[in-house]
């Protein structure tokens, strides 16, 4: 019984990672046209020194970055891919 539960948990986790990867790929492909202020890379550039938070999904990071621009909190943002999460970096 324990093995069946462990296997089921593994399959659920694997499905979640596959869904995250697919959403990440889709978001990366479409964000350039929708939100030109978004830059995706591995490390934060020197001109975006403020770390604002970590997000499980790329789309959540994009949403938070764009909301900050809309509210006037910062003028640029970047969603940098971390080892497990997306990091939001801003210019101020």
């Amino acid at each position: 019984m324990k093995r069946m539960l462990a296997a089921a948990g593994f399959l659920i986790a694997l499905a979640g990672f596959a869904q995250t990867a697919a959403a990440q790929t889709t978001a990366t492909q479409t964000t350039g046209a929708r939100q030109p202020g978004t830059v995706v890379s591995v490390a934060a550039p020197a001109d975006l020194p403020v770390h604002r938070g970590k997000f499980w999904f790329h789309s959540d990071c994009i949403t938070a970055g764009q909301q900050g621009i809309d509210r006037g909190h910062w003028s640029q943002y970047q969603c940098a891919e971390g080892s497990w999460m997306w990091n939001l970096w801003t210019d101020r």
Side-chain angles (χ1 to χ4, degrees):
M1 183 71 168
K2 287 183 181 179
R3 287 184 183 173
M4 288 175 49
L5 289 174
F10 175 76
L11 291 176
I12 291 170
L14 185 61
F17 286 125
Q19 181 182 12
T20 301
Q24 172 182 334
T25 303
T26 303
T28 302
Q29 292 171 350
T30 60
T31 54
R34 278 192 347 215
Q35 298 164 345
T38 305
V39 178
V40 177
S41 69
V42 177
D47 60 340
L48 297 176
V50 182
H51 185 258
R52 296 291 177 174
K54 296 184 176 199
F55 300 88
W56 283 108
F57 300 104
H58 184 250
S59 60
D60 293 341
C61 183
I62 296 288
T63 300
Q66 192 60 45
Q67 286 175 350
I69 288 178
D70 295 343
R71 293 179 184 152
H73 295 296
W74 50 78
S75 60
Q76 290 182 325
Y77 70 92
Q78 171 187 350
C79 291
E81 185 175 7
S83 56
W84 287 94
M85 302 178 86
W86 289 91
N87 296 293
L88 176 62
W89 295 90
T90 66
D91 59 346
R92 48 186 157 146

mmCIF file with all atom_site columns, all heavy atoms in Angstrom, residues 71-86:
data_model
loop_
_atom_site.group_PDB
_atom_site.id
_atom_site.type_symbol
_atom_site.label_atom_id
_atom_site.label_alt_id
_atom_site.label_comp_id
_atom_site.label_asym_id
_atom_site.label_entity_id
_atom_site.label_seq_id
_atom_site.pdbx_PDB_ins_code
_atom_site.Cartn_x
_atom_site.Cartn_y
_atom_site.Cartn_z
_atom_site.occupancy
_atom_site.B_iso_or_equiv
_atom_site.pdbx_formal_charge
_atom_site.auth_seq_id
_atom_site.auth_comp_id
_atom_site.auth_asym_id
_atom_site.auth_atom_id
_atom_site.pdbx_PDB_model_num
ATOM 1   N N   . ARG A 1 71 ? 1.651  50.222 -11.431 1.00 0.00 ? 71 ARG A N   1
ATOM 2   C CA  . ARG A 1 71 ? 1.467  51.021 -10.202 1.00 0.00 ? 71 ARG A CA  1
ATOM 3   C C   . ARG A 1 71 ? 2.550  52.080 -10.023 1.00 0.00 ? 71 ARG A C   1
ATOM 4   O O   . ARG A 1 71 ? 2.471  52.886 -9.112  1.00 0.00 ? 71 ARG A O   1
ATOM 5   C CB  . ARG A 1 71 ? 1.457  50.098 -8.993  1.00 0.00 ? 71 ARG A CB  1
ATOM 6   C CG  . ARG A 1 71 ? 0.251  49.197 -8.968  1.00 0.00 ? 71 ARG A CG  1
ATOM 7   C CD  . ARG A 1 71 ? 0.293  48.291 -7.766  1.00 0.00 ? 71 ARG A CD  1
ATOM 8   N NE  . ARG A 1 71 ? -0.832 47.371 -7.814  1.00 0.00 ? 71 ARG A NE  1
ATOM 9   C CZ  . ARG A 1 71 ? -0.830 46.169 -7.278  1.00 0.00 ? 71 ARG A CZ  1
ATOM 10  N NH1 . ARG A 1 71 ? 0.235  45.734 -6.640  1.00 0.00 ? 71 ARG A NH1 1
ATOM 11  N NH2 . ARG A 1 71 ? -1.891 45.406 -7.380  1.00 0.00 ? 71 ARG A NH2 1
ATOM 12  N N   . GLY A 1 72 ? 3.582  52.054 -10.865 1.00 0.00 ? 72 GLY A N   1
ATOM 13  C CA  . GLY A 1 72 ? 4.642  53.045 -10.789 1.00 0.00 ? 72 GLY A CA  1
ATOM 14  C C   . GLY A 1 72 ? 5.716  52.731 -9.765  1.00 0.00 ? 72 GLY A C   1
ATOM 15  O O   . GLY A 1 72 ? 6.502  53.598 -9.404  1.00 0.00 ? 72 GLY A O   1
ATOM 16  N N   . HIS A 1 73 ? 5.790  51.484 -9.294  1.00 0.00 ? 73 HIS A N   1
ATOM 17  C CA  . HIS A 1 73 ? 6.801  51.116 -8.297  1.00 0.00 ? 73 HIS A CA  1
ATOM 18  C C   . HIS A 1 73 ? 8.180  50.946 -8.920  1.00 0.00 ? 73 HIS A C   1
ATOM 19  O O   . HIS A 1 73 ? 9.189  51.201 -8.278  1.00 0.00 ? 73 HIS A O   1
ATOM 20  C CB  . HIS A 1 73 ? 6.407  49.833 -7.570  1.00 0.00 ? 73 HIS A CB  1
ATOM 21  C CG  . HIS A 1 73 ? 5.164  49.963 -6.755  1.00 0.00 ? 73 HIS A CG  1
ATOM 22  N ND1 . HIS A 1 73 ? 5.066  50.797 -5.667  1.00 0.00 ? 73 HIS A ND1 1
ATOM 23  C CD2 . HIS A 1 73 ? 3.958  49.369 -6.879  1.00 0.00 ? 73 HIS A CD2 1
ATOM 24  C CE1 . HIS A 1 73 ? 3.860  50.709 -5.148  1.00 0.00 ? 73 HIS A CE1 1
ATOM 25  N NE2 . HIS A 1 73 ? 3.157  49.850 -5.874  1.00 0.00 ? 73 HIS A NE2 1
ATOM 26  N N   . TRP A 1 74 ? 8.248  50.483 -10.161 1.00 0.00 ? 74 TRP A N   1
ATOM 27  C CA  . TRP A 1 74 ? 9.502  50.341 -10.892 1.00 0.00 ? 74 TRP A CA  1
ATOM 28  C C   . TRP A 1 74 ? 9.230  50.484 -12.379 1.00 0.00 ? 74 TRP A C   1
ATOM 29  O O   . TRP A 1 74 ? 8.091  50.455 -12.818 1.00 0.00 ? 74 TRP A O   1
ATOM 30  C CB  . TRP A 1 74 ? 10.189 48.997 -10.587 1.00 0.00 ? 74 TRP A CB  1
ATOM 31  C CG  . TRP A 1 74 ? 9.323  47.788 -10.717 1.00 0.00 ? 74 TRP A CG  1
ATOM 32  C CD1 . TRP A 1 74 ? 8.938  47.161 -11.856 1.00 0.00 ? 74 TRP A CD1 1
ATOM 33  C CD2 . TRP A 1 74 ? 8.715  47.052 -9.659  1.00 0.00 ? 74 TRP A CD2 1
ATOM 34  N NE1 . TRP A 1 74 ? 8.143  46.086 -11.575 1.00 0.00 ? 74 TRP A NE1 1
ATOM 35  C CE2 . TRP A 1 74 ? 7.991  45.987 -10.224 1.00 0.00 ? 74 TRP A CE2 1
ATOM 36  C CE3 . TRP A 1 74 ? 8.714  47.169 -8.271  1.00 0.00 ? 74 TRP A CE3 1
ATOM 37  C CZ2 . TRP A 1 74 ? 7.286  45.066 -9.471  1.00 0.00 ? 74 TRP A CZ2 1
ATOM 38  C CZ3 . TRP A 1 74 ? 8.001  46.246 -7.520  1.00 0.00 ? 74 TRP A CZ3 1
ATOM 39  C CH2 . TRP A 1 74 ? 7.304  45.218 -8.113  1.00 0.00 ? 74 TRP A CH2 1
ATOM 40  N N   . SER A 1 75 ? 10.302 50.695 -13.141 1.00 0.00 ? 75 SER A N   1
ATOM 41  C CA  . SER A 1 75 ? 10.111 50.901 -14.577 1.00 0.00 ? 75 SER A CA  1
ATOM 42  C C   . SER A 1 75 ? 10.570 49.707 -15.410 1.00 0.00 ? 75 SER A C   1
ATOM 43  O O   . SER A 1 75 ? 10.218 49.607 -16.575 1.00 0.00 ? 75 SER A O   1
ATOM 44  C CB  . SER A 1 75 ? 10.858 52.153 -15.028 1.00 0.00 ? 75 SER A CB  1
ATOM 45  O OG  . SER A 1 75 ? 12.231 52.020 -14.767 1.00 0.00 ? 75 SER A OG  1
ATOM 46  N N   . GLN A 1 76 ? 11.364 48.822 -14.823 1.00 0.00 ? 76 GLN A N   1
ATOM 47  C CA  . GLN A 1 76 ? 11.815 47.622 -15.518 1.00 0.00 ? 76 GLN A CA  1
ATOM 48  C C   . GLN A 1 76 ? 11.774 46.452 -14.553 1.00 0.00 ? 76 GLN A C   1
ATOM 49  O O   . GLN A 1 76 ? 11.970 46.626 -13.350 1.00 0.00 ? 76 GLN A O   1
ATOM 50  C CB  . GLN A 1 76 ? 13.255 47.758 -16.005 1.00 0.00 ? 76 GLN A CB  1
ATOM 51  C CG  . GLN A 1 76 ? 13.446 48.727 -17.119 1.00 0.00 ? 76 GLN A CG  1
ATOM 52  C CD  . GLN A 1 76 ? 14.904 48.735 -17.541 1.00 0.00 ? 76 GLN A CD  1
ATOM 53  O OE1 . GLN A 1 76 ? 15.802 48.582 -16.724 1.00 0.00 ? 76 GLN A OE1 1
ATOM 54  N NE2 . GLN A 1 76 ? 15.135 48.905 -18.830 1.00 0.00 ? 76 GLN A NE2 1
ATOM 55  N N   . TYR A 1 77 ? 11.561 45.269 -15.090 1.00 0.00 ? 77 TYR A N   1
ATOM 56  C CA  . TYR A 1 77 ? 11.641 44.072 -14.277 1.00 0.00 ? 77 TYR A CA  1
ATOM 57  C C   . TYR A 1 77 ? 12.157 42.915 -15.109 1.00 0.00 ? 77 TYR A C   1
ATOM 58  O O   . TYR A 1 77 ? 12.214 42.983 -16.329 1.00 0.00 ? 77 TYR A O   1
ATOM 59  C CB  . TYR A 1 77 ? 10.286 43.716 -13.658 1.00 0.00 ? 77 TYR A CB  1
ATOM 60  C CG  . TYR A 1 77 ? 9.251  43.223 -14.646 1.00 0.00 ? 77 TYR A CG  1
ATOM 61  C CD1 . TYR A 1 77 ? 9.107  41.870 -14.918 1.00 0.00 ? 77 TYR A CD1 1
ATOM 62  C CD2 . TYR A 1 77 ? 8.424  44.104 -15.316 1.00 0.00 ? 77 TYR A CD2 1
ATOM 63  C CE1 . TYR A 1 77 ? 8.161  41.412 -15.813 1.00 0.00 ? 77 TYR A CE1 1
ATOM 64  C CE2 . TYR A 1 77 ? 7.471  43.662 -16.207 1.00 0.00 ? 77 TYR A CE2 1
ATOM 65  C CZ  . TYR A 1 77 ? 7.352  42.310 -16.455 1.00 0.00 ? 77 TYR A CZ  1
ATOM 66  O OH  . TYR A 1 77 ? 6.413  41.861 -17.346 1.00 0.00 ? 77 TYR A OH  1
ATOM 67  N N   . GLN A 1 78 ? 12.554 41.876 -14.413 1.00 0.00 ? 78 GLN A N   1
ATOM 68  C CA  . GLN A 1 78 ? 13.061 40.676 -15.061 1.00 0.00 ? 78 GLN A CA  1
ATOM 69  C C   . GLN A 1 78 ? 12.634 39.475 -14.254 1.00 0.00 ? 78 GLN A C   1
ATOM 70  O O   . GLN A 1 78 ? 12.699 39.492 -13.026 1.00 0.00 ? 78 GLN A O   1
ATOM 71  C CB  . GLN A 1 78 ? 14.572 40.721 -15.133 1.00 0.00 ? 78 GLN A CB  1
ATOM 72  C CG  . GLN A 1 78 ? 15.182 39.425 -15.601 1.00 0.00 ? 78 GLN A CG  1
ATOM 73  C CD  . GLN A 1 78 ? 16.686 39.449 -15.491 1.00 0.00 ? 78 GLN A CD  1
ATOM 74  O OE1 . GLN A 1 78 ? 17.276 40.490 -15.238 1.00 0.00 ? 78 GLN A OE1 1
ATOM 75  N NE2 . GLN A 1 78 ? 17.304 38.316 -15.677 1.00 0.00 ? 78 GLN A NE2 1
ATOM 76  N N   . CYS A 1 79 ? 12.221 38.428 -14.923 1.00 0.00 ? 79 CYS A N   1
ATOM 77  C CA  . CYS A 1 79 ? 11.921 37.153 -14.285 1.00 0.00 ? 79 CYS A CA  1
ATOM 78  C C   . CYS A 1 79 ? 13.058 36.204 -14.628 1.00 0.00 ? 79 CYS A C   1
ATOM 79  O O   . CYS A 1 79 ? 13.151 35.718 -15.753 1.00 0.00 ? 79 CYS A O   1
ATOM 80  C CB  . CYS A 1 79 ? 10.584 36.609 -14.771 1.00 0.00 ? 79 CYS A CB  1
ATOM 81  S SG  . CYS A 1 79 ? 9.193  37.578 -14.178 1.00 0.00 ? 79 CYS A SG  1
ATOM 82  N N   . ALA A 1 80 ? 13.928 35.985 -13.661 1.00 0.00 ? 80 ALA A N   1
ATOM 83  C CA  . ALA A 1 80 ? 15.091 35.127 -13.869 1.00 0.00 ? 80 ALA A CA  1
ATOM 84  C C   . ALA A 1 80 ? 14.797 33.734 -13.332 1.00 0.00 ? 80 ALA A C   1
ATOM 85  O O   . ALA A 1 80 ? 14.268 33.583 -12.236 1.00 0.00 ? 80 ALA A O   1
ATOM 86  C CB  . ALA A 1 80 ? 16.313 35.716 -13.165 1.00 0.00 ? 80 ALA A CB  1
ATOM 87  N N   . GLU A 1 81 ? 15.150 32.744 -14.111 1.00 0.00 ? 81 GLU A N   1
ATOM 88  C CA  . GLU A 1 81 ? 14.901 31.362 -13.717 1.00 0.00 ? 81 GLU A CA  1
ATOM 89  C C   . GLU A 1 81 ? 15.915 30.937 -12.679 1.00 0.00 ? 81 GLU A C   1
ATOM 90  O O   . GLU A 1 81 ? 17.123 31.052 -12.879 1.00 0.00 ? 81 GLU A O   1
ATOM 91  C CB  . GLU A 1 81 ? 14.988 30.458 -14.948 1.00 0.00 ? 81 GLU A CB  1
ATOM 92  C CG  . GLU A 1 81 ? 14.623 29.027 -14.664 1.00 0.00 ? 81 GLU A CG  1
ATOM 93  C CD  . GLU A 1 81 ? 14.612 28.194 -15.934 1.00 0.00 ? 81 GLU A CD  1
ATOM 94  O OE1 . GLU A 1 81 ? 15.015 28.718 -16.985 1.00 0.00 ? 81 GLU A OE1 1
ATOM 95  O OE2 . GLU A 1 81 ? 14.209 27.030 -15.852 1.00 0.00 ? 81 GLU A OE2 1
ATOM 96  N N   . GLY A 1 82 ? 15.414 30.466 -11.537 1.00 0.00 ? 82 GLY A N   1
ATOM 97  C CA  . GLY A 1 82 ? 16.268 29.928 -10.491 1.00 0.00 ? 82 GLY A CA  1
ATOM 98  C C   . GLY A 1 82 ? 16.313 28.418 -10.583 1.00 0.00 ? 82 GLY A C   1
ATOM 99  O O   . GLY A 1 82 ? 15.871 27.820 -11.563 1.00 0.00 ? 82 GLY A O   1
ATOM 100 N N   . SER A 1 83 ? 16.820 27.775 -9.536  1.00 0.00 ? 83 SER A N   1
ATOM 101 C CA  . SER A 1 83 ? 16.905 26.323 -9.569  1.00 0.00 ? 83 SER A CA  1
ATOM 102 C C   . SER A 1 83 ? 15.524 25.668 -9.486  1.00 0.00 ? 83 SER A C   1
ATOM 103 O O   . SER A 1 83 ? 15.290 24.638 -10.100 1.00 0.00 ? 83 SER A O   1
ATOM 104 C CB  . SER A 1 83 ? 17.801 25.823 -8.441  1.00 0.00 ? 83 SER A CB  1
ATOM 105 O OG  . SER A 1 83 ? 17.323 26.286 -7.202  1.00 0.00 ? 83 SER A OG  1
ATOM 106 N N   . TRP A 1 84 ? 14.603 26.237 -8.709  1.00 0.00 ? 84 TRP A N   1
ATOM 107 C CA  . TRP A 1 84 ? 13.249 25.685 -8.599  1.00 0.00 ? 84 TRP A CA  1
ATOM 108 C C   . TRP A 1 84 ? 12.169 26.720 -8.847  1.00 0.00 ? 84 TRP A C   1
ATOM 109 O O   . TRP A 1 84 ? 11.016 26.376 -9.088  1.00 0.00 ? 84 TRP A O   1
ATOM 110 C CB  . TRP A 1 84 ? 13.013 25.098 -7.206  1.00 0.00 ? 84 TRP A CB  1
ATOM 111 C CG  . TRP A 1 84 ? 13.737 23.830 -6.997  1.00 0.00 ? 84 TRP A CG  1
ATOM 112 C CD1 . TRP A 1 84 ? 14.974 23.685 -6.419  1.00 0.00 ? 84 TRP A CD1 1
ATOM 113 C CD2 . TRP A 1 84 ? 13.336 22.518 -7.376  1.00 0.00 ? 84 TRP A CD2 1
ATOM 114 N NE1 . TRP A 1 84 ? 15.334 22.379 -6.418  1.00 0.00 ? 84 TRP A NE1 1
ATOM 115 C CE2 . TRP A 1 84 ? 14.345 21.631 -6.990  1.00 0.00 ? 84 TRP A CE2 1
ATOM 116 C CE3 . TRP A 1 84 ? 12.208 22.013 -7.996  1.00 0.00 ? 84 TRP A CE3 1
ATOM 117 C CZ2 . TRP A 1 84 ? 14.264 20.272 -7.209  1.00 0.00 ? 84 TRP A CZ2 1
ATOM 118 C CZ3 . TRP A 1 84 ? 12.131 20.650 -8.207  1.00 0.00 ? 84 TRP A CZ3 1
ATOM 119 C CH2 . TRP A 1 84 ? 13.148 19.800 -7.817  1.00 0.00 ? 84 TRP A CH2 1
ATOM 120 N N   . MET A 1 85 ? 12.502 27.989 -8.728  1.00 0.00 ? 85 MET A N   1
ATOM 121 C CA  . MET A 1 85 ? 11.486 29.041 -8.797  1.00 0.00 ? 85 MET A CA  1
ATOM 122 C C   . MET A 1 85 ? 11.961 30.165 -9.708  1.00 0.00 ? 85 MET A C   1
ATOM 123 O O   . MET A 1 85 ? 13.125 30.234 -10.076 1.00 0.00 ? 85 MET A O   1
ATOM 124 C CB  . MET A 1 85 ? 11.214 29.583 -7.385  1.00 0.00 ? 85 MET A CB  1
ATOM 125 C CG  . MET A 1 85 ? 10.754 28.515 -6.410  1.00 0.00 ? 85 MET A CG  1
ATOM 126 S SD  . MET A 1 85 ? 10.515 29.169 -4.774  1.00 0.00 ? 85 MET A SD  1
ATOM 127 C CE  . MET A 1 85 ? 8.850  29.738 -4.936  1.00 0.00 ? 85 MET A CE  1
ATOM 128 N N   . TRP A 1 86 ? 11.035 31.063 -10.024 1.00 0.00 ? 86 TRP A N   1
ATOM 129 C CA  . TRP A 1 86 ? 11.344 32.252 -10.815 1.00 0.00 ? 86 TRP A CA  1
ATOM 130 C C   . TRP A 1 86 ? 11.580 33.415 -9.861  1.00 0.00 ? 86 TRP A C   1
ATOM 131 O O   . TRP A 1 86 ? 10.826 33.627 -8.916  1.00 0.00 ? 86 TRP A O   1
ATOM 132 C CB  . TRP A 1 86 ? 10.182 32.580 -11.753 1.00 0.00 ? 86 TRP A CB  1
ATOM 133 C CG  . TRP A 1 86 ? 10.080 31.590 -12.861 1.00 0.00 ? 86 TRP A CG  1
ATOM 134 C CD1 . TRP A 1 86 ? 9.351  30.443 -12.877 1.00 0.00 ? 86 TRP A CD1 1
ATOM 135 C CD2 . TRP A 1 86 ? 10.751 31.653 -14.108 1.00 0.00 ? 86 TRP A CD2 1
ATOM 136 N NE1 . TRP A 1 86 ? 9.529  29.791 -14.068 1.00 0.00 ? 86 TRP A NE1 1
ATOM 137 C CE2 . TRP A 1 86 ? 10.380 30.503 -14.847 1.00 0.00 ? 86 TRP A CE2 1
ATOM 138 C CE3 . TRP A 1 86 ? 11.622 32.569 -14.687 1.00 0.00 ? 86 TRP A CE3 1
ATOM 139 C CZ2 . TRP A 1 86 ? 10.850 30.258 -16.119 1.00 0.00 ? 86 TRP A CZ2 1
ATOM 140 C CZ3 . TRP A 1 86 ? 12.084 32.311 -15.966 1.00 0.00 ? 86 TRP A CZ3 1
ATOM 141 C CH2 . TRP A 1 86 ? 11.699 31.184 -16.668 1.00 0.00 ? 86 TRP A CH2 1
#
